[in-house]
Each structure stands twice: as structure tokens, then as C-alpha cells.
Amino acid sequence: MKMNTMEKKLAEYKCDTNEAICLKLVRFPEDVEDDGTTFHPEYSHQIFGDDEVAFGYKGLQIQLFYTAGNLSTLFKVKYSSKVTETFDCVEPDDVEGKIREIVPAGFTCNTDDFISLLEKEANFKPFGTLLHTYTVHSEEAGELTYQIHKADITCPGFQEYHERLQTFLMWFIETASFIDADDDRWDFFLVFEKYNKDGETLYATVGYMTVYNYYVYPDKTRPRVSQMLILPPFQGEGHGAQLLEAVHRFYCSLPKVQDITAEDPSENYVKLRDYVLVKLCQGLPSFAVDKLPLGFSADMIKEAQDKLKINKKHARRVYEILRLRATDMSDKEKAREYRLEVKKRLFGPYRKNQRELTKMRKCLRPEELVSHMGQMDTQTQHEELEKSYQVVVEDYRRIIERLATQA
């Protein structure tokens, strides 16, 4: 029973690290004290383990505040009490040490020093070359202007800036890892917001993308998107689509590029890519409305590849989305044709399974074969296929709705 009381008391010193970590992008001195500008991580397991818990503190607050443009950093750890004040034999977690592993040197621990760094923000200018400018209408602020720049590691000051920027990956991408930015095959694409402060134009960091240029024999490259993050205060405003489209257009302008891919893309990234590629392809002659009911054609594959560096797999998804948009799904026959067309593609992996089973029949003993065959009978296959189809169409419909609102 005594042990239980002890455990209860110690449990009071556990803190959820996703709540304890307070992130800010600071433009004005008053932002520092304003809780409304604070945001929290979605993940902290890479630093604090799968439980995402720090032990040894009550009221733990880990402050990681960044100046909006240059990302100069304030790092402070606060708490109301520490476990060693009550229990002398219990060690608290080294919270500070864990954060120092990912936050590059050069940060300040003093709030006044941090506020004085804000005065230097007027000197901060976006890195690299300007690729694209766009505006977004905001209810509070009216028209806001954004710029997308392409940078590389040779830009003065960029390497240090990138080290500060990539710390955000740990908090918002589940399987994030830092890249070796010294490799000159990396391209960096950055989004900035222009804003005014005391009559001057300043720039705030909105998000970024890293792309690695792979070599394709004999003389081509295949840019592969590695990481992409729009910082939480700017999410849901369309910046991801603007960034991906600008990056796509940039690589389309380079004759050496074969096609553009992504490394281990998340579901959200795939949806974003579908939207951007449909937007780019809908004007191509081979994807014209009268061509869509005739099926996925060699012309579509060739035109998407030649003009937009889109590979066959992605072009196929674009075709399915555009065909859905052009199909009257209340017409039973047309709806059936569309459904069969999509299911034919979805059935590919099941067909591969059947081929593997045929091979197995030749070399497996009967009881081994039964265990493999029992994995998915025809009825289950049909049900799984229907489920996949419904999910796909639901995603496609969202993309079509989004295109309609942008039109």
C-alpha cells in the first residue's frame, strides 16, 4: 500500500511533452507573452520516447521561441517544482540535454536578449532566387503577399538558418530525420510572408521543402521530394499547394529532368499532389473532356511525361479524377463503366497475388499451399476491392470540390 502512495506521488511529476513544449514564431515583442501565438508539437516521441512523457517536474514548460524570419531561438525550461525537492533518491529526466541534441548552438536563454534580436529582423532577407509570388486574402489582414524562393547550401547564412528550420520537422513529421545538407544535390524551396512593421517590409518564414536530385542514366535527373512542412500557424491557407506547384513548374523548365517523385509520401502529401497535378493537367489536349470516356491512353502518358514530367502512375490518378469530374454518376451505365475502370487498376496487387500463388503451386506442399490460399478468398477480395474503391472516390471528390472553389 505504501508503494502505491509513493507511485501516485511520483506520477504527479510526469508531464505530457506535447503540451509542455511551447513553440512560437515571434514578430512583435508583445507576442512573447501572448498565449494566442503559442502552438504545440504533434509529436515528441523521437526526443522523449514513445510515451511522449518527461518525468521529474510539475508544471513543466519548454519554451522554444523563434524570431519570425531568421528563426533566432530562445530556449528556456520552466517548472513549478522538481522531484528532487521531495525525493532525494529519484533523478528527473534531463529535458534540457534532450532538446540541445536537436536545437543548434547559438540560441539564447534570456528573454530580453531574444526581444532585442527582433530588432535585427529588418535585416533578414529571403535566401536564393525568387520563383513565384502570390497573394492570399485574410479576413483580419486583407491581402497578404507570399514569396517562394529556391536556395542551396552555398547561399551565405543559409546552412545555419536551415539547421534552425529543420528542428520543426521533429515536432510535426512522425518519422522525420535531419538531412546531410552539405551534399550539393539538395535543393531547398522556401515560403515567406511579407509583412510590415514600423513602416518597413519584413519577411516571415512560412514553410519549406527539400528535394534531392537523383541521377538517371545516361544524362537525366529525377528530383525526389524528401521533406515538406508548412508551419502550423500557416496551415490550411493553401501554401502547400502553391509550394508544390511552384516546385513542379521549376523542374518542368529543366530539360534534364526525367520526372518528379516523392520519398515515402504521407497520405496528406498524396492528396496534395493529386490536386496540384490535376490542376496542371486539366488543360492538356489529351485530357480533354471528350477524350476521358475513351480510357487511359498512351497520349495521356506521353503528354504528362513530356510537358509536366509526371510519371505514368501519377498520370493515371489524374485521369481517374478528371474522368470522375466529367462523368454523370447518376447515369447507371456511365457510373458502372467508371467503377470498373478504377477497380481494374486497384485489382493489380490482387492479380499479382494470384500469379504468385500459381508459382507456389509448383513448389509448395499441399498443407503449405492451403495456408497461403486461405489468406484471401474471392469473396473477401471483392469486399476489399469495393472498400478501396469507395475510399479512392471519396478522396477524388474532395479534390474535385477543391478545384471548383479555386476556379
Side-chain angles (χ1 to χ4, degrees), residues 284-287 291 295-307 315:
L284 297 178
S286 61
F287 287 88
K291 302 270 173 61
F296 185 52
S297 67
D299 285 351
M300 289 174 181
I301 297 167
K302 187 171 176 3
E303 198 173 14
Q305 175 73 59
D306 293 352
K307 292 186 179 170

Side-chain angles (χ1 to χ4, degrees), residues 147-160:
Q147 292 185 348
I148 296 172
H149 287 246
K150 177 189 175 283
D152 59 53
I153 213 67
T154 61
C155 300
F158 178 71
Q159 187 158 2
E160 294 77 10

